Amino acid sequence: MKKSLAGVLIMGSVMAALTGCTKKGTDSSSANYANTSETNSSKSSETGTFTVGFDQDFPPMGFMGDDGEFTGFDLELAAETAKRMGLTIKYQPIAWDSKDMELKSGTIDCIWNGFTMNGREEGYAWSEPYMENDQVFVVREDSGISKISDLSGKSVEVQADSSAEAALKDKPEITSSFLSYQAVPDYLTAMMDLESGATDAIAMDNVVASYQIKAAKKDFVILDDPITAEEYAVGFAKDNTKLRDEVQKTLDEIAADGTAKKISEKWFDKDITTIGKGQGEN
């Protein structure tokens, strides 16, 4: 993504850079920001805007489409939320390592782009989880790799500062078996390396991997055994519970009338949202 979705691998495009919002592991910089709720919530009401911070390189959750406009599941859900709240949606691309500064300064009202809450529970005011996700391994279809133990003696890549990297830090019994284990700047690099044979596997988000494999029509497969399970939610400044509660109320309404299901089916061909549902009922 960082360019047009069609500009890289699907039709010469879809494997867009895929950076950023997979950077969902525990961030040391996310631990503390207090006393921002009044500033941020009043900012939205005064300006009439709802500013969503996101990494523009993370299809299908948020990215730049072929028409040069921002699009994606999360951004569409955020736009519907803003509309029902009587606010104008504003998409604000951010550098992922600056997300806390952007949130604290009030430049953005929230982080909404495949943002994993696991490991960050105390750092933000969170909406309820709206989607489940796994961190998984992606391999070439003809690789002969069918389970995690088959990765012993193989080369593996992961995006730097991603949830997958964070998850694998807790799995030394897996990583110690790899021939090599390398963090790369983005998933465009990793996908190209996998296709060329420069690496044997990629650790990444299941939601994103599934979408990319289908869209780009690549001969890649996802191993059945996940590395770890996680949940996506909307992150607000820690004390900005007022805006968080308003957004949550609206999300509940969007789920109740079937709109969330409709948006999910548009992007994933099925309803994979968990708003108002017990786990495993999506």
Side-chain angles (χ1 to χ4, degrees):
M1 268 175 313
K2 218 157 226 182
K3 315 291 192 276
S4 162
L5 183 62
V8 190
L9 278 184
I10 181 170
M11 296 191 212
S13 85
V14 174
M15 299 304 187
L18 288 176
T19 56
C21 284
T22 42
K23 302 172 186 174
K24 306 186 202 76
T26 303
D27 298 306
S28 59
S29 59
S30 70
N32 293 295
Y33 23 71
N35 303 321
T36 58
S37 60
E38 182 178 350
T39 299
N40 285 358
S41 59
S42 62
K43 170 181 173 289
S44 292
S45 60
E46 288 175 3
T47 63
T49 61
F50 180 47
T51 305
V52 173
F54 75 106
D55 188 308
Q56 66 180 10
D57 300 320
F58 198 53
M61 311 309 280
F63 60 98
M64 183 176 288
D66 297 343
D67 59 1
E69 299 294 327
F70 294 126
T71 187
F73 170 81
D74 277 341
L75 299 190
E76 192 166 332
L77 190 59
E80 180 66 21
T81 301
K83 176 183 175 182
R84 296 193 186 201
M85 292 171 63
L87 301 172
T88 300
I89 190 71
K90 179 181 178 181
Y91 302 135
Q92 181 62 56
I94 58 174
W96 193 250
D97 59 2
S98 299
K99 63 187 180 298
D100 295 337
M101 178 186 69
E102 301 277 10
L103 198 58
K104 186 175 181 179
S105 68
T107 304
I108 59 175
D109 294 315
C110 66
I111 303 168
W112 195 336
N113 200 204
F115 191 27
T116 297
M117 67 184 298
N118 307 78
R120 294 186 173 119
E121 289 87 347
E122 302 303 317
Y124 303 84
W126 292 100
S127 72
E128 294 177 10
Y130 62 87
M131 186 179 291
E132 295 174 348
N133 180 54
D134 294 324
Q135 293 300 325
V136 296
F137 288 108
V138 178
V139 300
R140 293 185 304 279
E141 193 171 28
D142 62 358
S143 66
I145 300 170
S146 61
K147 54 186 182 297
I148 290 179
S149 60
D150 293 337
L151 292 171
S152 178
K154 304 295 185 180
S155 59
V156 177
E157 290 186 354
V158 66
Q159 181 181 313
D161 300 321
S162 67
S163 282
E165 184 180 42
L168 285 174
K169 284 181 180 179
D170 295 330
K171 305 282 186 181
E173 70 278 9
I174 296 177
T175 57
S176 62
S177 72
F178 298 159
L179 174 65
S180 64
Y181 175 50
Q182 180 180 3
V184 295
D186 54 67
Y187 280 122
L188 171 61
T189 300
M191 289 285 187
M192 293 176 66
D193 286 348
L194 183 61
E195 186 170 28
S196 70
T199 193
D200 297 305
I202 308 169
M204 63 185 297
D205 292 59
N206 193 351
V207 168
V208 178
S210 297
Y211 178 85
Q212 293 286 18
I213 291 170
K214 179 179 179 180
K217 299 179 180 178
K218 293 298 179 182
D219 295 327
F220 299 158
V221 294
I222 298 170
L223 299 190
D224 290 336
D225 297 329
I227 302 168
T228 189
E230 61 187 25
E231 295 174 306
Y232 290 161
V234 187
F236 299 81
K238 193 170 183 179
D239 287 353
N240 195 359
T241 55
K242 182 177 185 294
L243 182 58
R244 186 273 312 274
D245 291 346
E246 292 170 355
V247 168
Q248 184 62 56
K249 180 178 182 291
T250 307
L251 280 174
D252 290 341
E253 295 170 355
I254 290 171
D257 68 16
T259 304
K261 177 177 182 290
K262 183 178 179 180
I263 296 173
S264 180
E265 289 174 342
K266 171 184 174 180
W267 287 97
F268 305 108
D269 297 325
K270 60 182 179 179
D271 183 14
I272 63 173
T273 63
T274 59
I275 309 169
K277 305 173 186 175
Q279 289 189 348
E281 294 180 17
N282 52 332

